[in-house]
Amino acid sequence: MVYFIIRRILQIIPVIIGVTLLLFILLYIIPEDPAQLILQKGATPEALANLRAKMGIDQPIYVQYWRYIKGLFSGNLGTSYRYQRSVNSILAEHYPYSIKLAFAAIIIEIIIGIFAGIISAIKKYSIWDVLVTISTTILVCVPVYWLGMILQVTFGLKLGWLPMSGYGDGSIRYYILPAVTLASVSTAFVARMMRSTMLEALSNDYITTAYAKGLSQFKVIGKHAMKNALIPVVTLIGLDLGSLMGGAILTETVFNWPGVGRTIYLAILQRDAPVVVGGTVILVGIFIIMNLIVDIIYAWLDPRIRFEKVEPNI
Amino acid sequence: MPQNNKILEVKNLKTYFYTDDGIVKAVDGVSFDLKELETLGIVGETGSGKSVTALSILRLIPQPPGKIVDGEILFKGQNILDMNIKELQDFRGNRISMIFQDPMTSLNPVFTIGNQLMEAILAHQTITKKQAREKSFQLLEMVGIPDIKRRFNSYPHEFSGGMRQRVMIAMAIANNPDILIADEPTTALDVTIQAQILELMHELKEKTKSSIIIITHDLGVVAKYANRVMVMYAGKPVEFSEVDKIFYKPCHPYTIGLMRSITRLDQERKNVLKPIEGSPPSLIDLPIGCIFRVRCEFAVKQCSLSYPELLEVSPGHYSACFRANELFAGFKNLDFLKTKK
Ligand code: SF4
């Protein structure tokens, strides 16, 4: 198990290198001069050249890249062109907002998704099942930003129950709309997957065994079927958490949420390459780490994966 | 030796499945009884309703599509079909427990053997976890699992098929049930392991003083372990008797066919294995008259007009065939079927 974890952590390195290389090349192709960007219009050619030399962007791309990688592994993500601040501090400032939002969304996803999935599996073909099927289909089809705006208009503008956007004082009211929007598609997927894995689990022979032992329906479903049915769902939720934590660009933009997704979005608009690359690197890193955590939970849930070697039969 | 008091009585049990194609009458009017300390065999081909009969006794029929539509199942006089959910839970695995066909799938792959065994105990006994653990060790020892301390924390996939079936048996006897229902307990296992498992069940039955219903398609198993046997065909019992009698003088053409289709080591070459021609009827549109008619070599005109009732041909020996008495009186050419137990 330890070996497994170490191996997985080492696997992060080539992925990070690949991602940064790709982004570097893409950003290098964009014919924009960062020095121009920083000094604005009307700067003298000498001043521009000076700045370029100071920033090191007059060097060939591989030199720049090497310097970046060296910085990266010592924990330095560079300096923002736009704000003249270290990317680390910019991301550190915005990340907590994204993470809080991601957790709010995941909680919605877990509670509503799993619950709806179980209900529709247990009450197969009932009105509840039909309701879950229809609403999940709609949620999957609707674009996120559209849903976000509809919610803003309905609950924020018309009914005035909830704030339309922003982080406000950070109270729970501000979280509801963006979290619901962010969770919508994943909740639908979780509900659907939960329904099918639950149905699959319930059709197994060990369920009959469990009933034959005299266990209650609650215990049969809640213990025997649940643990089996959860295995694929946990994977889905874990991967989701990984991608949500990277900041949800659309949702954060629509709701003007001060998270890292919106920061990256703004950085793209402003051609602020260090912020884009730095943000993406962290995003990828988190995604991979979440993946690893999912794999560990997975191994805990399913003992058949836990042991790579199966003991000989006696 | 079996006693005379009936511990279980099944009367006119009917279990139907409501499918898109129509009503499948999987069990259609089955009656039998089980005496204390008795081993009763239920024999039939796949789809004869023998497993559905077993599942019906513990009300384990998936509903929908299945439903027990009629009948009574009396355990020491109490009708199981009238029990509420709570009573049923107390009853299952406690007074009657069950062993299933495929030990590969009937244990939950994500819980340890120990967990599943303790769960069976704790469902019915108010003892501490520690005591349940002790009890589990005893049970595992009783069913012959080696290296119990380590095995207790193993998962089903770390066991062979035979060992898993032993664990299933341990779970089934955990609460000293009065009746053990074994639904084809050895079908999924190797031949050598089959014998071990059957021997084990037989031993445990003697030790725990319980009755057994063993469901099988293997007449050899019945001959060796059962006291009485019920032969089922297309959801109905066609012959019911003590094992000796049925093997000595089968009185239903289907039973005769089944006996012919088993290999016998002491059988002369000329009586080669002879499978029963044809296949069982669809349980959705049963023909009028005798259900076995289309495959029966003894069929007469009457057989297509009405269904033969299960009648006594000799004391304790019942057959549902219009020609049962003739068969009993003896077709000389059936003599080769005689079997020593
Ligand atoms: S009743 Fe007729 S058809 Fe049915 S088993 Fe007897 S002889 Fe054969």
Side-chain angles (χ1 to χ4, degrees):
Chain A
M1 196 72 187
V2 177
Y3 171 74
F4 166 78
I5 294 172
I6 292 174
R7 204 181 53 195
R8 290 295 305 268
I9 289 173
L10 288 179
Q11 277 172 2
I12 298 178
I13 296 170
V15 176
I16 295 285
I17 292 178
V19 170
T20 47
L21 190 61
L22 199 71
L23 282 169
F24 236 82
I25 292 169
L26 285 176
L27 289 169
Y28 195 76
I29 293 169
I30 299 174
E32 184 116 29
D33 184 355
Q36 184 80 62
L37 228 139
I38 294 166
L39 293 180
Q40 311 289 320
K41 281 203 181 85
T44 62
E46 294 79 46
L48 283 175
N50 266 341
L51 185 62
R52 278 195 208 106
K54 207 174 122 214
M55 289 168 71
I57 46 177
D58 53 347
Q59 312 256 340
I61 183 170
Y62 58 87
V63 178
Q64 289 186 44
Y65 181 65
W66 176 240
R67 247 201 5 231
Y68 186 78
I69 286 290
K70 270 205 308 208
L72 187 64
F73 282 97
S74 58
N76 178 7
L77 293 169
T79 309
S80 159
Y81 294 160
R82 178 69 60 177
Y83 303 105
Q84 292 302 305
R85 273 172 65 196
S86 84
V87 176
N88 294 37
S89 73
I90 294 178
L91 293 179
E93 181 191 325
H94 292 283
Y95 242 110
Y97 297 102
S98 286
I99 290 177
K100 282 190 236 169
L101 186 61
F103 272 103
I106 283 290
I107 289 170
I108 294 176
E109 184 179 328
I110 291 174
I111 295 176
I112 299 182
I114 290 184
F115 186 73
I118 293 175
I119 293 291
S120 68
I122 299 174
K123 305 261 176 241
K124 195 167 78 161
Y125 304 139
S126 72
I127 179 79
W128 297 110
D129 185 22
V130 174
L131 216 67
V132 169
T133 310
I134 293 177
S135 48
T136 51
T137 312
I138 294 174
L139 281 181
V140 169
C141 297
V142 164
V144 175
Y145 56 86
W146 186 82
L147 178 71
M149 289 193 263
I150 292 291
L151 290 178
Q152 275 180 326
V153 170
T154 320
F155 294 98
L157 204 64
K158 288 236 173 84
L159 296 170
W161 291 350
L162 295 163
M164 271 183 70
S165 69
Y167 180 73
D169 55 1
S171 66
I172 203 155
R173 298 173 60 237
Y174 286 90
Y175 279 92
I176 296 175
L177 292 185
V180 167
T181 308
L182 189 55
S184 62
V185 177
S186 323
T187 307
F189 275 120
V190 167
R192 290 187 152 206
M193 184 174 251
M194 192 69 213
R195 177 182 189 270
S196 69
T197 58
M198 189 48 125
L199 283 177
E200 209 271 328
L202 285 174
S203 70
N204 274 304
D205 288 351
Y206 56 76
I207 296 296
T208 315
T209 309
Y211 277 120
K213 277 186 194 171
L215 301 182
S216 63
Q217 192 190 26
F218 184 77
K219 191 129 196 230
V220 174
I221 292 171
K223 179 181 172 185
H224 285 269
M226 193 68 164
K227 196 168 173 191
N228 283 280
L230 270 183
I231 293 172
V233 177
V234 165
T235 318
L236 186 70
I237 292 176
L239 293 181
D240 245 15
L241 186 59
S243 54
L244 291 186
M245 296 247 273
I249 295 188
L250 287 178
T251 310
E252 289 187 0
T253 309
V254 170
F255 286 94
N256 208 17
W257 190 262
V260 80
R262 188 165 140 271
T263 308
I264 292 179
Y265 168 75
L266 293 177
I268 293 172
L269 292 185
Q270 297 161 350
R271 307 274 183 275
D272 197 348
V275 176
V276 177
V277 180
T280 313
V281 167
I282 296 297
L283 191 150
V284 171
I286 288 185
F287 190 76
I288 295 173
I289 289 168
M290 286 316 295
N291 247 325
L292 175 65
I293 294 174
V294 167
D295 280 352
I296 294 169
I297 296 178
Y298 203 91
W300 170 73
L301 281 172
D302 192 343
R304 284 163 297 186
I305 311 170
R306 195 179 316 164
F307 308 97
E308 269 157 306
K309 61 172 183 2
V310 174
E311 293 185 33
N313 288 337
I314 46 168
Chain B
M1 258 284 105
Q3 315 274 298
N4 254 339
N5 12 351
K6 293 172 182 172
I7 186 160
L8 186 77
E9 258 186 291
V10 174
K11 292 182 183 168
N12 193 32
L13 178 70
K14 291 185 181 177
T15 306
Y16 295 171
F17 288 85
Y18 297 84
T19 67
D20 291 342
D21 300 326
I23 301 172
V24 179
K25 298 179 175 173
V27 172
D28 197 17
V30 168
S31 304
F32 65 90
D33 58 66
L34 178 72
K35 297 178 180 134
E36 267 175 41
L37 306 185
E38 182 185 36
T39 299
L40 173 76
I42 301 183
V43 183
E45 292 165 291
T46 310
S48 61
K50 53 194 195 311
S51 289
V52 176
T53 304
L55 289 170
S56 298
I57 295 173
L58 278 182
R59 286 175 47 190
L60 288 171
I61 299 293
Q63 183 181 353
K67 191 166 191 239
I68 299 175
V69 291
D70 197 11
E72 279 179 9
I73 302 171
L74 303 171
F75 173 80
K76 294 183 174 170
Q78 190 192 7
N79 191 354
I80 298 173
L81 299 183
D82 288 341
M83 287 181 181
N84 63 33
I85 283 295
K86 187 80 196 54
E87 291 169 322
L88 193 61
Q89 277 166 22
D90 287 342
F91 184 77
R92 286 173 176 160
N94 191 11
R95 298 321 341 131
I96 301 185
S97 59
M98 205 156 167
I99 299 165
F100 296 95
Q101 189 181 109
D102 191 350
M104 301 293 167
T105 56
S106 43
L107 288 165
N108 195 329
V110 300
F111 293 103
T112 61
I113 296 299
N115 180 318
Q116 298 186 55
L117 190 51
M118 277 173 60
E119 178 184 63
I121 299 169
L122 291 169
H124 301 290
Q125 301 176 27
T126 34
I127 54 176
T128 64
K129 281 211 165 163
K130 194 157 167 278
Q131 288 168 317
R133 208 178 140 90
E134 293 296 316
K135 178 105 208 255
S136 307
F137 286 169
Q138 287 168 16
L139 286 165
L140 288 173
E141 196 178 325
M142 271 172 91
V143 297
I145 303 273
D147 194 8
I148 293 168
K149 287 238 159 60
R150 190 169 65 86
R151 287 280 154 185
F152 185 80
N153 291 316
S154 300
Y155 288 90
H157 70 271
E158 298 170 76
F159 284 65
S160 65
M163 284 294 151
R164 289 187 218 194
Q165 200 60 303
R166 283 172 193 266
V167 173
M168 283 297 288
I169 294 173
M171 270 171 26
I173 60 168
N175 300 298
N176 299 317
D178 297 305
I179 303 173
L180 202 63
I181 301 176
D183 185 3
E184 306 235 17
T186 57
T187 311
L189 304 174
D190 289 348
V191 185
T192 46
I193 311 287
Q194 285 184 6
Q196 292 173 11
I197 294 290
L198 289 165
E199 272 310 317
L200 174 70
M201 284 179 52
H202 193 64
E203 272 169 36
L204 290 172
K205 178 201 152 193
E206 301 291 313
K207 264 193 220 162
T208 59
K209 306 249 174 294
S210 52
S211 312
I212 290 184
I213 298 178
I214 184 161
I215 289 156
T216 177
H217 58 260
D218 187 345
L219 277 176
V221 170
V222 167
K224 191 138 184 251
Y225 297 101
N227 303 108
R228 286 189 301 159
V229 57
M230 175 167 76
V231 182
M232 284 187 71
Y233 183 76
K236 291 183 162 67
V238 292
E239 189 162 6
F240 188 29
S241 163
E242 273 150 38
V243 167
D244 290 343
K245 288 185 185 161
I246 236 172
F247 276 85
Y248 180 68
K249 198 163 269 180
C251 289
H252 193 283
Y254 177 62
T255 318
I256 295 171
L258 275 184
M259 290 191 186
R260 268 193 209 139
S261 67
I262 55 172
T263 19
R264 291 256 320 276
L265 291 176
D266 57 342
Q267 188 170 288
E268 286 177 47
R269 285 288 309 248
K270 61 176 178 162
N271 301 318
V272 281
L273 203 66
K274 192 179 163 203
I276 308 174
E277 303 270 322
S279 51
S282 148
L283 294 174
I284 293 177
D285 293 310
L286 286 175
I288 306 166
C290 176
I291 37 172
F292 190 56
R293 193 179 71 236
V294 279
R295 296 168 81 186
C296 181
E297 55 188 296
F298 300 96
V300 288
K301 191 153 177 259
Q302 192 188 6
C303 306
S304 54
L305 300 176
S306 60
Y307 181 75
E309 293 300 318
L310 195 65
L311 295 173
E312 205 164 20
V313 260
S314 74
H317 187 168
Y318 300 83
S319 166
C321 172
F322 291 120
R323 305 190 68 190
N325 284 319
E326 287 170 73
L327 290 168
F328 185 73
F331 288 102
K332 284 278 175 289
N333 61 345
L334 295 176
D335 280 355
F336 73 88
L337 289 165
K338 286 178 188 171
T339 314
K340 273 186 227 84
K341 199 180 159 191

